[in-house]
Amino acid sequence: MTRETSARVPAVRLTHVSKSFPGVAAVDDVSLDIDPGEVHVFAGENGAGKSTLMKLVAQVEEPTSGTIELHGTPMTYRGPGHAREFGVAMVHQEFALAPDLTVAENLFIGGEPGRGGWISRARERRDARELLSRVGADLDPGRRVAQLSTAEQQRVELAKALAVDARVLILDEPTATLTRQQADELFAIIRQLTASGIAVLYISHRLDEIFEIGDRVTVMRDGAVVATRPASELDEDALVALMVGRNVDNLYPREHTSPGPVRLQVRNLTRRDVVHDVSFDVRGGEILGMAGLVGAGRTEVARMVFGAEPPDSGSVTLDGRTVRIRRPSDAIDAGIGYLTESRKTDGLALQLGVDKNITMAKLPMWNGLINLREERSVAGRHRDRLGIRVPWVGRPVQALSGGNQQKVVLARWLETQAEVLLFDEPGRGMDVGAKADMFREMDRLAGDGKAVVFISSYLPELLNMCDRILVMRGGRVAGELAKEEFSEERVIALATGAKDNHD
Ligand SMILES: Nc1ncnc2c1ncn2[C@@H]1O[C@H](COP(=O)(O)OP(=O)(O)OP(=O)(O)O)[C@@H](O)[C@H]1O
Ligand SMILES: [Mg+2]
């Protein structure tokens, strides 16, 4: 960095900033400068305080103490609209789009600065298209947000953030459900933005990308800053050690690998326009990976097997018996569990406690009788095993950090009696240590003879945890790889339809 740039006014200056919630010091005495044009990564375990710190900068939350300056001006707390006037835009970890409105309506909710009063539909659509193309999204602005995939919603969020003239852009785990290719597209956008002087505050749990996109890294633990370093001075091991305060020597524990007889058999599953003639088997003790680009149909297959969506044709066989699954309760009764990719819409009951959320999937088997003591002890066990950070298990899930919410969803499915488990992006938002815990649990399920389907957009997890990988493209099975054939290149070649040099 030249002398000139380092002498510039910081885009964001935090001085002794703290934020507490009842019983938790979420952010603890943070002092930090963020320069214009840098990508400043925030890393740390689930519950370390990253999202809360970002919300303070965006004035979504009011600090308990300390001062925040934006471009040299000290901020008094007046809510997010005020921060927006200073060019702060934030894409939240949990998307905040209105599901029943269209893409265009979502983009212009509350109006863009300088855009007065009534605007025509046509004009709105045209502007929406332009914004969407800036973030590389070829989407119909007239579609309802509820119909979009997670990755598409993420693009809309990003476009929405850029609808204001952003000078400080906050991205809270933007790549959590993106494929490698989509992440690369996002990075290209980020590089354009920083080149024009925008400061990007970027939260991520994906270690590789932290080094790829980050200029500096701030590691948080228990609300405090542990270290701020240039990314070039760190490597993955050093970063993990800073984050968790210990070495995580085995990220991908996989011990049980002796698949038994076929348990789940899916044949010719078809649903018009989305899934075509999909067939596969999963053995007991096996973890079958499902790779593919977003929109390849992986989630749709899982939803149909689980009865959340009806197939037009096709069959599901469990332990040799054909089962008729018309709704999720049929699937649960048959012994099939599905951890959905979107915990907010159909995963968690946010107002209910951690304990209730964990035991929920098991409840139908209790014939209406809920044993509260059992419920609490089950929840306590999972809290300890997965390191769910919560002062007491009756606490509403909405007070938990994103990664800790995801652990609650996972715990629920670990607790079911299900013999076949479909995990759709289960590690979304979890820190490295928590993921290692999760993989150990998945391995244990396989060891117990269950059949596990593991959908993930993050290839290293699939390559390390699975026995076989099914690659989908355009709603069809594009190919299947046995463990000996695993490589990132091969999966990508199948997923994109590109020829690779193995053929
Ligand atoms: N609205 C709230 N009410 C009570 N506690 C909260 C609230 N928001 C956050 N917390 C607590 O503050 C702490 C920090 O949470 P935060 O969401 O900032 O973590 P994070 O670093 O973003 O974690 P993750 O990686 O899981 O997203 C956690 O203990 C969390 O439970
Ligand atoms: Mg967070």
Side-chain angles (χ1 to χ4, degrees):
M1 214 188 275
T2 67
R3 196 165 299 244
E4 259 164 6
T5 50
S6 61
R8 270 195 292 188
V9 179
V12 181
R13 167 166 284 175
L14 304 166
T15 315
H16 300 301
V17 172
S18 295
K19 171 74 184 176
S20 19
F21 295 107
V24 195
V27 170
D28 187 11
D29 194 25
V30 170
S31 295
L32 184 68
D33 281 357
I34 312 232
D35 297 325
E38 79 165 320
V39 178
H40 198 110
V41 174
F42 291 82
E45 289 186 291
N46 296 131
K50 306 175 299 292
S51 294
T52 305
L53 187 66
M54 298 305 114
K55 288 177 191 167
L56 295 176
V57 173
Q59 298 211 10
V60 174
E61 301 269 11
E62 181 174 11
T64 312
S65 59
T67 51
I68 300 173
E69 288 166 48
L70 294 175
H71 319 292
T73 310
M75 293 287 106
T76 40
Y77 177 77
R78 279 197 231 125
H82 189 52
R84 242 184 337 261
E85 282 166 31
F86 280 81
V88 178
M90 176 159 178
V91 176
H92 288 268
Q93 184 172 18
E94 298 297 333
F95 301 151
L97 299 172
D100 295 324
L101 298 185
T102 65
V103 170
E105 284 162 350
N106 265 283
L107 285 175
F108 302 119
I109 279 175
E112 191 186 326
R115 169 193 282 273
W118 185 84
I119 15 160
S120 78
R121 268 283 129 103
R123 162 93 194 278
E124 190 175 85
R125 294 237 168 147
R126 205 174 54 235
D127 291 357
R129 252 183 236 285
E130 196 185 305
L131 273 172
L132 289 165
S133 76
R134 264 178 82 187
V135 297
D138 184 20
L139 277 177
D140 175 1
R143 277 173 75 190
R144 281 194 322 124
V145 161
Q147 299 167 334
L148 303 181
S149 71
T150 316
E152 288 169 332
Q153 291 188 28
Q154 197 257 0
R155 291 299 172 95
V156 177
E157 280 277 359
L158 191 60
K160 187 176 174 183
L162 296 174
V164 296
D165 209 0
R167 292 166 75 197
V168 173
L169 177 63
I170 300 171
L171 301 172
D172 194 346
E173 294 189 43
T175 54
T177 53
L178 298 191
T179 59
R180 187 60 244 189
Q181 189 196 356
Q182 291 168 321
D184 285 340
E185 288 165 20
L186 177 69
F187 294 164
I189 297 165
I190 290 176
R191 289 197 183 97
Q192 273 174 20
L193 295 173
T194 50
S196 69
I198 293 178
V200 175
L201 285 65
Y202 189 102
I203 299 179
S204 177
H205 288 294
R206 289 190 179 178
L207 300 178
D208 49 355
E209 72 180 27
I210 291 178
F211 295 101
E212 196 179 327
I213 193 71
D215 295 309
R216 287 195 296 161
V217 184
T218 286
V219 179
M220 295 182 72
R221 203 191 305 155
D222 296 328
V225 169
V226 178
T228 296
R229 305 262 173 82
S232 56
E233 288 176 14
L234 286 170
D235 59 21
E236 288 198 9
D237 288 343
L239 182 60
V240 171
L242 283 171
M243 278 167 61
V244 301
R246 64 181 159 106
N247 283 319
V248 179
D249 20 86
N250 194 0
L251 258 183
Y252 302 108
R254 191 70 218 280
E255 286 170 13
H256 305 93
T257 47
S258 43
V262 170
R263 303 208 62 181
L264 176 73
Q265 211 171 43
V266 172
R267 286 293 173 270
N268 312 104
L269 212 57
T270 297
R271 185 175 160 86
R272 200 159 44 91
D273 298 337
V274 271
V275 170
H276 312 279
D277 208 21
V278 167
S279 299
F280 60 90
D281 291 345
V282 194
R283 298 174 174 279
E286 189 178 41
I287 301 181
L288 172 72
M290 269 205 195
L293 304 180
V294 169
R298 296 171 300 166
T299 292
E300 285 72 13
V301 167
R303 285 173 58 80
M304 281 189 263
V305 172
F306 189 62
E309 232 169 273
D312 295 333
S313 58
S315 66
V316 174
T317 309
L318 204 65
D319 293 328
R321 277 199 322 236
T322 302
V323 282
R324 264 192 79 73
I325 296 169
R326 271 173 252 111
R327 55 188 73 85
S329 59
D330 296 340
I332 293 173
D333 289 346
I336 301 175
Y338 175 40
L339 187 157
T340 64
E341 68 170 342
S342 53
R343 60 174 175 260
K344 202 171 182 184
T345 49
D346 44 10
L348 287 173
L350 291 171
Q351 299 82 359
L352 295 185
V354 169
D355 46 4
K356 293 254 182 317
N357 271 283
I358 289 178
T359 52
M360 209 178 257
K362 219 182 162 185
L363 288 179
M365 291 163 205
W366 293 0
N367 295 323
L369 283 174
I370 302 171
N371 180 336
L372 287 177
R373 195 184 320 147
E374 164 81 1
E375 185 173 272
R376 230 166 291 142
S377 86
V378 165
R381 186 155 43 80
H382 286 290
R383 179 190 56 194
D384 298 343
R385 233 190 241 172
L386 298 174
I388 300 172
R389 281 177 69 132
V390 61
W392 76 96
V393 290
R395 185 152 212 198
V397 161
Q398 62 193 355
L400 268 58
S401 76
N404 282 298
Q405 291 183 0
Q406 185 66 12
K407 293 184 206 172
V408 173
V409 180
L410 177 68
R412 174 194 301 167
W413 292 113
L414 294 176
E415 194 48 41
T416 58
Q417 313 293 318
E419 292 298 317
V420 171
L421 285 150
L422 313 164
F423 286 141
D424 201 345
E425 307 280 358
R428 178 182 174 196
M430 283 192 195
D431 67 53
V432 278
K435 273 196 179 180
D437 293 341
M438 174 181 83
F439 291 141
R440 196 166 321 106
E441 294 296 317
M442 281 172 69
D443 180 61
R444 187 178 57 76
L445 292 172
D448 289 346
K450 306 197 180 207
V452 180
V453 176
F454 178 21
I455 300 176
S456 171
S457 293
Y458 192 50
L459 282 183
E461 338 188 296
L462 292 182
L463 297 172
N464 282 289
M465 288 303 296
C466 298
D467 301 298
R468 274 184 304 138
I469 296 178
L470 203 71
V471 186
M472 289 191 63
R473 178 173 78 239
R476 295 174 199 278
V477 176
E480 187 189 304
L481 297 174
K483 205 165 180 80
E484 314 81 68
E485 305 169 303
F486 281 7
S487 78
E488 207 152 311
E489 294 73 29
R490 283 191 169 190
V491 175
I492 292 170
L494 285 169
T496 57
K499 276 250 174 277
D500 76 343
N501 39 24
H502 297 283
D503 293 339

